[in-house]
Amino acid sequence: MVAVVRAAAAAKKRVRVVGAGHSWNDIACTGESMMNLDLLCGVLAVDREARQITVAAGIRLRELNERVAEHGLALSNLGSIAEQSLAGAISTGTHGSGIRFGNLATQVVALRLVTADGTVRDLSAEHDPELFAAARVGLGALGVITAVTVQCEEAFHLEERAFALPFDRAVASLDELIDGHEHMKLWWLPHTDEVQVYCYNRTKAQKTPRSRIARWFEEGPLVLAAFALLLAWGRIWPRAIPAINRFVKSIYFKPRERVDRSDRILNIPMPPMHRESEYAIGREQAGEALSALRALIDGSDGGEPLHVNFVVELRFVAGDDGMLSPAHGRASCQIGAYMHAGRSLDRYFEGFERLMLARGGRPHWGKEFRAGGDVLRPRYPRFDRFAALRRELDPNGMFENDYIRRLFGPSGPV
């Protein structure tokens, strides 16, 4: 990797590292050279006593889950999707849900970074802590992450309980739900009057038996194909979306309980193709923000009603000290506005971003947002320090692209 970076510097090439290509924006895009770490994916070391695993940075989360399980370990928290590369997931602030748990980057205790001049920097809270605080959610702007050490814990099972609440009751019960469960998230399907609550807590119970046939019908290609067909129908006939959403809610959003290995509970099957925008706001603003989003969608705020064909998701994340972490310094609610292609999409995302920015929101770095550095800079107390470290480590802008320039401006010519 050092030789590759030095060769790019000698050739005056700009380079962007791409993980699994899971981001919904242009964070990894470039008109010059792209570096893929798919072959940099093995386990480098396991410290069973410290419950730590060191892996090459290109490893997919699904593979990491299996490797830690082989040693009787588990990650403390995970997001919904396990297809991302580890380096890409931490670099964009990817997270799960649980107010006592930080985003994935907070589980990183050390990482190796190759900077623009080919220097290898081994970072941790003890060794170069300031750069470590920048690089854990580094947007690919500081160098190439080649190895990551993750703090794990003893393997555990989770019990999932899913149930529906009336919209207003869910909003009123948020604090009780957030504090009463280790992990909790909400799904609201617009144009319906209920919110689906998912609660996850540790248990000594054994895995809930599920037949392969039942799992195939619940999570297999038949379900995904049917959902995709309904989304396509709504795109052709937007006025049908409220009825379609009510139908989907009646079929899919139903009470259930199950127990399984923690990662198998927290990760879900890949959904149909759609687009996502997401913002982090203060935890205490969650209920009011969700109500404002409902008013935006149904037009009760005075605007034209929107036809939204995908869930709104609320997840909750502990505050941390990452310089560009969306949860920097505050317990946060991450609100995700998702939608399959449709006529209302642009107005929906524009209105959603406006609502979130008005509440001090910070974007998920791997999802769609329009705000530039001038808007976002005041929202991150250490934004300027991150920008200074970037200029110091990459004075010629080897790792910049349009995305990075929108946030920080150009470093200089390669």
mmCIF file of all heavy atoms in Angstrom, residues 311-340:
data_model
loop_
_atom_site.group_PDB
_atom_site.id
_atom_site.type_symbol
_atom_site.label_atom_id
_atom_site.label_comp_id
_atom_site.label_asym_id
_atom_site.label_seq_id
_atom_site.Cartn_x
_atom_site.Cartn_y
_atom_site.Cartn_z
ATOM 1 N N VAL A 311 -39.878 3.844 4.435
ATOM 2 C CA VAL A 311 -39.964 4.167 5.859
ATOM 3 C C VAL A 311 -39.115 5.380 6.225
ATOM 4 O O VAL A 311 -38.117 5.692 5.569
ATOM 5 C CB VAL A 311 -39.538 2.977 6.744
ATOM 6 C CG1 VAL A 311 -40.464 1.811 6.572
ATOM 7 C CG2 VAL A 311 -38.086 2.599 6.489
ATOM 8 N N VAL A 312 -39.521 6.025 7.302
ATOM 9 C CA VAL A 312 -38.680 6.956 8.062
ATOM 10 C C VAL A 312 -38.152 6.163 9.248
ATOM 11 O O VAL A 312 -38.912 5.461 9.928
ATOM 12 C CB VAL A 312 -39.482 8.174 8.549
ATOM 13 C CG1 VAL A 312 -38.634 9.032 9.489
ATOM 14 C CG2 VAL A 312 -39.990 8.993 7.360
ATOM 15 N N GLU A 313 -36.855 6.268 9.506
ATOM 16 C CA GLU A 313 -36.235 5.477 10.574
ATOM 17 C C GLU A 313 -35.606 6.398 11.606
ATOM 18 O O GLU A 313 -34.916 7.365 11.264
ATOM 19 C CB GLU A 313 -35.158 4.557 9.993
ATOM 20 C CG GLU A 313 -34.499 3.660 11.030
ATOM 21 C CD GLU A 313 -33.527 2.667 10.411
ATOM 22 O OE1 GLU A 313 -32.722 3.093 9.548
ATOM 23 O OE2 GLU A 313 -33.571 1.486 10.780
ATOM 24 N N LEU A 314 -35.846 6.096 12.878
ATOM 25 C CA LEU A 314 -35.208 6.807 13.978
ATOM 26 C C LEU A 314 -34.340 5.824 14.747
ATOM 27 O O LEU A 314 -34.814 4.770 15.184
ATOM 28 C CB LEU A 314 -36.241 7.415 14.932
ATOM 29 C CG LEU A 314 -36.803 8.795 14.585
ATOM 30 C CD1 LEU A 314 -37.655 8.728 13.334
ATOM 31 C CD2 LEU A 314 -37.596 9.367 15.746
ATOM 32 N N ARG A 315 -33.062 6.193 14.887
ATOM 33 C CA ARG A 315 -32.128 5.407 15.694
ATOM 34 C C ARG A 315 -31.410 6.344 16.656
ATOM 35 O O ARG A 315 -31.391 7.562 16.450
ATOM 36 C CB ARG A 315 -31.135 4.651 14.794
ATOM 37 C CG ARG A 315 -31.807 3.556 13.985
ATOM 38 C CD ARG A 315 -30.844 2.839 13.059
ATOM 39 N NE ARG A 315 -30.483 3.658 11.904
ATOM 40 C CZ ARG A 315 -29.580 3.305 10.991
ATOM 41 N NH1 ARG A 315 -28.927 2.156 11.120
ATOM 42 N NH2 ARG A 315 -29.323 4.081 9.964
ATOM 43 N N PHE A 316 -30.786 5.786 17.686
ATOM 44 C CA PHE A 316 -30.275 6.599 18.780
ATOM 45 C C PHE A 316 -28.842 6.188 19.099
ATOM 46 O O PHE A 316 -28.533 5.002 19.203
ATOM 47 C CB PHE A 316 -31.201 6.465 19.988
ATOM 48 C CG PHE A 316 -32.610 6.885 19.648
ATOM 49 C CD1 PHE A 316 -33.517 5.948 19.172
ATOM 50 C CD2 PHE A 316 -32.989 8.201 19.736
ATOM 51 C CE1 PHE A 316 -34.801 6.326 18.808
ATOM 52 C CE2 PHE A 316 -34.276 8.599 19.375
ATOM 53 C CZ PHE A 316 -35.173 7.663 18.911
ATOM 54 N N VAL A 317 -27.969 7.195 19.249
ATOM 55 C CA VAL A 317 -26.533 6.959 19.319
ATOM 56 C C VAL A 317 -25.940 7.789 20.456
ATOM 57 O O VAL A 317 -26.279 8.982 20.619
ATOM 58 C CB VAL A 317 -25.859 7.356 17.984
ATOM 59 C CG1 VAL A 317 -24.369 7.067 18.034
ATOM 60 C CG2 VAL A 317 -26.505 6.624 16.819
ATOM 61 N N ALA A 318 -25.037 7.198 21.225
ATOM 62 C CA ALA A 318 -24.347 7.923 22.293
ATOM 63 C C ALA A 318 -23.411 8.971 21.698
ATOM 64 O O ALA A 318 -22.896 8.819 20.593
ATOM 65 C CB ALA A 318 -23.563 6.947 23.156
ATOM 66 N N GLY A 319 -23.184 10.035 22.449
ATOM 67 C CA GLY A 319 -22.218 11.040 22.028
ATOM 68 C C GLY A 319 -20.801 10.495 22.065
ATOM 69 O O GLY A 319 -20.497 9.530 22.770
ATOM 70 N N ASP A 320 -19.906 11.125 21.301
ATOM 71 C CA ASP A 320 -18.510 10.685 21.258
ATOM 72 C C ASP A 320 -17.610 11.875 20.971
ATOM 73 O O ASP A 320 -18.069 13.018 20.888
ATOM 74 C CB ASP A 320 -18.321 9.577 20.216
ATOM 75 C CG ASP A 320 -18.641 10.038 18.799
ATOM 76 O OD1 ASP A 320 -17.955 10.946 18.296
ATOM 77 O OD2 ASP A 320 -19.578 9.500 18.177
ATOM 78 N N ASP A 321 -16.300 11.614 20.826
ATOM 79 C CA ASP A 321 -15.342 12.700 20.638
ATOM 80 C C ASP A 321 -14.740 12.735 19.236
ATOM 81 O O ASP A 321 -13.778 13.465 18.996
ATOM 82 C CB ASP A 321 -14.220 12.614 21.674
ATOM 83 C CG ASP A 321 -13.385 11.342 21.537
ATOM 84 O OD1 ASP A 321 -13.742 10.457 20.707
ATOM 85 O OD2 ASP A 321 -12.375 11.214 22.259
ATOM 86 N N GLY A 322 -15.273 11.962 18.300
ATOM 87 C CA GLY A 322 -14.763 12.010 16.936
ATOM 88 C C GLY A 322 -14.951 13.391 16.337
ATOM 89 O O GLY A 322 -16.047 13.967 16.412
ATOM 90 N N MET A 323 -13.918 13.953 15.742
ATOM 91 C CA MET A 323 -13.984 15.332 15.271
ATOM 92 C C MET A 323 -15.152 15.568 14.324
ATOM 93 O O MET A 323 -15.837 16.591 14.416
ATOM 94 C CB MET A 323 -12.673 15.722 14.577
ATOM 95 C CG MET A 323 -11.518 15.926 15.503
ATOM 96 S SD MET A 323 -10.099 16.617 14.598
ATOM 97 C CE MET A 323 -8.853 16.556 15.888
ATOM 98 N N LEU A 324 -15.372 14.648 13.401
ATOM 99 C CA LEU A 324 -16.449 14.804 12.431
ATOM 100 C C LEU A 324 -17.561 13.781 12.639
ATOM 101 O O LEU A 324 -18.383 13.576 11.742
ATOM 102 C CB LEU A 324 -15.908 14.700 10.999
ATOM 103 C CG LEU A 324 -15.033 15.851 10.521
ATOM 104 C CD1 LEU A 324 -14.741 15.707 9.028
ATOM 105 C CD2 LEU A 324 -15.671 17.218 10.792
ATOM 106 N N SER A 325 -17.618 13.174 13.794
ATOM 107 C CA SER A 325 -18.720 12.271 14.073
ATOM 108 C C SER A 325 -20.018 13.059 14.150
ATOM 109 O O SER A 325 -20.085 14.088 14.840
ATOM 110 C CB SER A 325 -18.494 11.542 15.397
ATOM 111 O OG SER A 325 -19.668 10.852 15.779
ATOM 112 N N PRO A 326 -21.077 12.614 13.473
ATOM 113 C CA PRO A 326 -22.365 13.302 13.617
ATOM 114 C C PRO A 326 -22.880 13.324 15.052
ATOM 115 O O PRO A 326 -23.719 14.164 15.392
ATOM 116 C CB PRO A 326 -23.293 12.481 12.711
ATOM 117 C CG PRO A 326 -22.378 11.912 11.664
ATOM 118 C CD PRO A 326 -21.118 11.583 12.427
ATOM 119 N N ALA A 327 -22.374 12.432 15.905
ATOM 120 C CA ALA A 327 -22.776 12.399 17.317
ATOM 121 C C ALA A 327 -21.742 13.075 18.210
ATOM 122 O O ALA A 327 -21.750 12.861 19.425
ATOM 123 C CB ALA A 327 -23.000 10.962 17.764
ATOM 124 N N HIS A 328 -20.879 13.906 17.630
ATOM 125 C CA HIS A 328 -19.834 14.565 18.423
ATOM 126 C C HIS A 328 -20.464 15.358 19.575
ATOM 127 O O HIS A 328 -21.273 16.260 19.369
ATOM 128 C CB HIS A 328 -19.020 15.513 17.548
ATOM 129 C CG HIS A 328 -17.950 16.247 18.310
ATOM 130 N ND1 HIS A 328 -16.657 15.792 18.415
ATOM 131 C CD2 HIS A 328 -17.980 17.405 19.013
ATOM 132 C CE1 HIS A 328 -15.940 16.634 19.140
ATOM 133 N NE2 HIS A 328 -16.727 17.622 19.516
ATOM 134 N N GLY A 329 -20.091 14.971 20.800
ATOM 135 C CA GLY A 329 -20.444 15.764 21.967
ATOM 136 C C GLY A 329 -21.892 15.715 22.404
ATOM 137 O O GLY A 329 -22.268 16.432 23.339
ATOM 138 N N ARG A 330 -22.715 14.897 21.785
ATOM 139 C CA ARG A 330 -24.115 14.877 22.215
ATOM 140 C C ARG A 330 -24.761 13.534 21.884
ATOM 141 O O ARG A 330 -24.500 12.943 20.831
ATOM 142 C CB ARG A 330 -24.912 15.998 21.556
ATOM 143 C CG ARG A 330 -25.127 15.820 20.058
ATOM 144 C CD ARG A 330 -25.839 17.021 19.438
ATOM 145 N NE ARG A 330 -26.134 16.772 18.026
ATOM 146 C CZ ARG A 330 -26.501 17.710 17.162
ATOM 147 N NH1 ARG A 330 -26.598 18.965 17.571
ATOM 148 N NH2 ARG A 330 -26.774 17.404 15.902
ATOM 149 N N ALA A 331 -25.611 13.071 22.803
ATOM 150 C CA ALA A 331 -26.452 11.922 22.496
ATOM 151 C C ALA A 331 -27.391 12.326 21.369
ATOM 152 O O ALA A 331 -27.984 13.406 21.399
ATOM 153 C CB ALA A 331 -27.246 11.507 23.730
ATOM 154 N N SER A 332 -27.512 11.476 20.381
ATOM 155 C CA SER A 332 -28.148 11.895 19.136
ATOM 156 C C SER A 332 -29.259 10.955 18.699
ATOM 157 O O SER A 332 -29.232 9.759 18.975
ATOM 158 C CB SER A 332 -27.105 11.974 18.014
ATOM 159 O OG SER A 332 -26.117 12.939 18.314
ATOM 160 N N CYS A 333 -30.212 11.550 17.993
ATOM 161 C CA CYS A 333 -31.185 10.797 17.225
ATOM 162 C C CYS A 333 -30.803 10.923 15.768
ATOM 163 O O CYS A 333 -30.655 12.035 15.255
ATOM 164 C CB CYS A 333 -32.591 11.345 17.443
ATOM 165 S SG CYS A 333 -33.822 10.641 16.314
ATOM 166 N N GLN A 334 -30.609 9.806 15.112
ATOM 167 C CA GLN A 334 -30.322 9.787 13.680
ATOM 168 C C GLN A 334 -31.628 9.509 12.949
ATOM 169 O O GLN A 334 -32.183 8.418 13.052
ATOM 170 C CB GLN A 334 -29.282 8.711 13.362
ATOM 171 C CG GLN A 334 -27.959 8.872 14.079
ATOM 172 C CD GLN A 334 -26.899 9.568 13.248
ATOM 173 O OE1 GLN A 334 -25.808 9.865 13.721
ATOM 174 N NE2 GLN A 334 -27.207 9.846 11.991
ATOM 175 N N ILE A 335 -32.123 10.506 12.232
ATOM 176 C CA ILE A 335 -33.376 10.365 11.498
ATOM 177 C C ILE A 335 -33.056 10.131 10.030
ATOM 178 O O ILE A 335 -32.378 10.940 9.396
ATOM 179 C CB ILE A 335 -34.269 11.605 11.652
ATOM 180 C CG1 ILE A 335 -34.592 11.851 13.124
ATOM 181 C CG2 ILE A 335 -35.558 11.426 10.867
ATOM 182 C CD1 ILE A 335 -35.585 12.970 13.340
ATOM 183 N N GLY A 336 -33.570 9.027 9.498
ATOM 184 C CA GLY A 336 -33.336 8.689 8.105
ATOM 185 C C GLY A 336 -34.599 8.860 7.285
ATOM 186 O O GLY A 336 -35.649 8.308 7.625
ATOM 187 N N ALA A 337 -34.503 9.646 6.213
ATOM 188 C CA ALA A 337 -35.591 9.811 5.247
ATOM 189 C C ALA A 337 -35.222 8.992 4.017
ATOM 190 O O ALA A 337 -34.239 9.302 3.347
ATOM 191 C CB ALA A 337 -35.771 11.282 4.882
ATOM 192 N N TYR A 338 -35.984 7.959 3.747
ATOM 193 C CA TYR A 338 -35.666 7.039 2.668
ATOM 194 C C TYR A 338 -36.782 7.077 1.622
ATOM 195 O O TYR A 338 -37.944 7.289 1.951
ATOM 196 C CB TYR A 338 -35.529 5.601 3.185
ATOM 197 C CG TYR A 338 -34.649 5.430 4.408
ATOM 198 C CD1 TYR A 338 -34.886 4.394 5.309
ATOM 199 C CD2 TYR A 338 -33.586 6.300 4.670
ATOM 200 C CE1 TYR A 338 -34.082 4.214 6.425
ATOM 201 C CE2 TYR A 338 -32.793 6.128 5.787
ATOM 202 C CZ TYR A 338 -33.039 5.084 6.667
ATOM 203 O OH TYR A 338 -32.252 4.915 7.771
ATOM 204 N N MET A 339 -36.429 6.844 0.369
ATOM 205 C CA MET A 339 -37.463 6.829 -0.660
ATOM 206 C C MET A 339 -36.966 6.127 -1.911
ATOM 207 O O MET A 339 -35.817 6.301 -2.318
ATOM 208 C CB MET A 339 -37.912 8.248 -1.001
ATOM 209 C CG MET A 339 -39.130 8.303 -1.911
ATOM 210 S SD MET A 339 -39.852 9.937 -2.004
ATOM 211 C CE MET A 339 -41.012 9.676 -3.353
ATOM 212 N N HIS A 340 -37.850 5.331 -2.494
ATOM 213 C CA HIS A 340 -37.640 4.813 -3.831
ATOM 214 C C HIS A 340 -37.873 5.958 -4.810
ATOM 215 O O HIS A 340 -38.553 6.929 -4.502
ATOM 216 C CB HIS A 340 -38.624 3.667 -4.094
ATOM 217 C CG HIS A 340 -38.473 3.005 -5.427
ATOM 218 N ND1 HIS A 340 -37.344 2.287 -5.769
ATOM 219 C CD2 HIS A 340 -39.290 2.948 -6.496
ATOM 220 C CE1 HIS A 340 -37.488 1.801 -6.992
ATOM 221 N NE2 HIS A 340 -38.661 2.200 -7.464
#
